[in-house]
């Protein structure tokens, strides 16, 4: 077994879980800066301050390391979305879910680039994980949609996919224009748009022509300038 004691001047011996976290953090920086194909295990080991044998002890190859990062950060995104949708008030759910995507893309380290802008998206195992996180978040949204409307499962998932895609795309756009549009404004506008979309569908047990003011999206005349709180 490879000793995790690093060469003199290159760090210190760490518990396995802490070493793994350190390696993942170093790998994230290298992958985000260089992309998967240009990233080298030598670069990752060097950034982490360990020898290559120590890196390979934790991850047998570059793909396994990349997949571990995707698993870590898709898990974080899923939890953010589920926490938002666990709220009792529908408006708060949508506002908080929208904010979750903005918070995720704004995280230090730009982990979102591995999820939303991966240069390895055609690799089957990567593609499977990326598709799964989109579907998982859409299905979580669909549970709320079905509880509030007369939609069947597949219709609700389709709407969930649209809402999740809107939140994700808007958040990524905001990140490149944050000097011109504040985060609060971007979240408010995006959440209002999603609520309006939600309001297009009748509540369970109510007539299709019920006024939008009584639908999940809120008042028919809701302005995008209304605070998202």
């Amino acid at each position: 077994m490879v000793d995790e004691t690093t060469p003199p001047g290159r760090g210190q011996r760490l518990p396995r879980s802490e070493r793994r976290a350190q390696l993942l953090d170093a790998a994230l920086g290298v992958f985000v800066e260089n992309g998967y194909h240009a990233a080298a295990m030598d670069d990752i080991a060097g950034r982490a301050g360990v020898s290559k044998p120590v890196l390979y002890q934790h991850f047998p190859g570059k793909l396994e390391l990349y997949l571990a990062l995707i698993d870590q950060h898709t898990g974080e995104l899923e939890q953010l979305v589920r926490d938002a949708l666990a709220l009792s008030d529908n408006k708060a759910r949508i506002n908080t879910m929208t904010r979750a995507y903005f918070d995720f893309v704004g995280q230090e380290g730009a982990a979102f680039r591995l999820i939303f802008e991966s240069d390895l998206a055609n690799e089957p195992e990567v593609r499977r994980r990326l598709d799964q996180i989109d579907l998982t978040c859409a299905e979580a949204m669909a549970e709320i949609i079905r509880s509030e409307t007369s939609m069947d499962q597949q219709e609700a998932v389709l709407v969930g996919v649209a809402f999740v895609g809107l939140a994700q795309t808007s958040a990524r756009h905001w990140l490149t224009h944050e000097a011109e549009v504040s985060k609060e404004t971007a979240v408010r506008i995006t959440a209002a748009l999603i609520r309006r979309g939600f309001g297009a569908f009748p509540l369970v047990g109510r007539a299709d022509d019920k006024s939008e003011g009584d639908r999940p999206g809120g008042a028919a005349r809701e302005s995008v300038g209304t605070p998202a709180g």
Side-chain angles (χ1 to χ4, degrees):
M1 178 180 290
V2 177
D3 188 353
E4 287 212 10
T5 303
T6 55
R10 297 190 66 187
Q12 60 182 349
R13 186 179 179 87
L14 295 174
R16 184 173 181 82
S17 61
E18 291 184 28
R19 178 67 76 198
R20 178 182 172 86
Q22 178 198 36
L23 296 174
L24 287 170
D25 186 60
L28 175 62
V30 173
F31 284 132
V32 167
E33 291 169 15
N34 302 327
Y36 178 83
H37 297 290
M41 293 294 269
D42 281 327
D43 297 333
I44 296 168
R47 180 168 297 202
V50 302
S51 63
K52 278 183 68 178
V54 168
L55 178 57
Y56 280 111
Q57 182 183 5
H58 290 264
F59 302 100
K62 187 167 70 167
L63 178 59
E64 288 77 11
L65 181 50
Y66 194 82
L67 292 175
L69 276 170
I70 289 180
D71 288 340
Q72 175 185 329
H73 293 293
T74 55
E76 291 175 3
L77 176 59
E78 179 182 347
Q79 192 59 54
L80 286 170
V81 171
R82 289 195 182 279
D83 287 347
L85 297 180
L87 299 174
S88 58
D89 177 72
N90 194 63
K91 181 177 179 180
R93 287 171 181 159
I94 294 174
N95 292 344
T96 310
M97 184 277 287
T98 303
R99 183 175 295 279
Y101 278 87
F102 282 79
D103 289 344
F104 185 70
V105 302
Q107 284 181 346
E108 184 178 354
F112 81 93
R113 297 195 184 282
L114 273 64
I115 313 302
F116 302 146
E117 301 173 4
S118 175
D119 62 343
L120 199 62
N122 291 328
E123 162 63 38
E125 279 304 302
V126 174
R127 183 73 268 159
R128 182 178 68 80
R129 284 164 166 81
L130 301 184
D131 289 343
Q132 185 60 53
I133 185 58
D134 286 343
L135 181 60
T136 296
C137 292
E139 287 178 338
M141 189 72 182
E143 291 177 19
I144 306 303
I145 295 167
R146 288 202 69 195
S147 72
E148 299 283 351
T149 73
S150 57
M151 286 186 175
D152 65 26
Q153 176 65 17
Q154 290 308 312
E155 291 172 338
V157 169
L158 178 61
V159 175
V161 168
F163 287 169
V164 165
L166 175 57
Q168 178 200 128
T169 303
S170 297
R172 289 165 59 198
H173 176 83
W174 160 78
L175 192 64
T176 61
H177 296 82
E178 57 181 322
E180 297 116 47
V181 182
S182 72
K183 182 178 179 180
E184 290 304 314
T185 297
V187 170
R188 183 175 67 244
I189 291 172
T190 305
L193 183 57
I194 292 174
R195 290 197 305 273
R196 279 296 191 89
F198 206 164
F201 306 105
L203 286 170
V204 172
R206 297 193 180 185
D208 287 349
D209 62 352
K210 193 70 176 176
S211 67
E212 287 189 6
D214 291 329
R215 294 176 181 174
R221 296 184 182 83
E222 178 184 12
S223 168
V224 294
T226 302

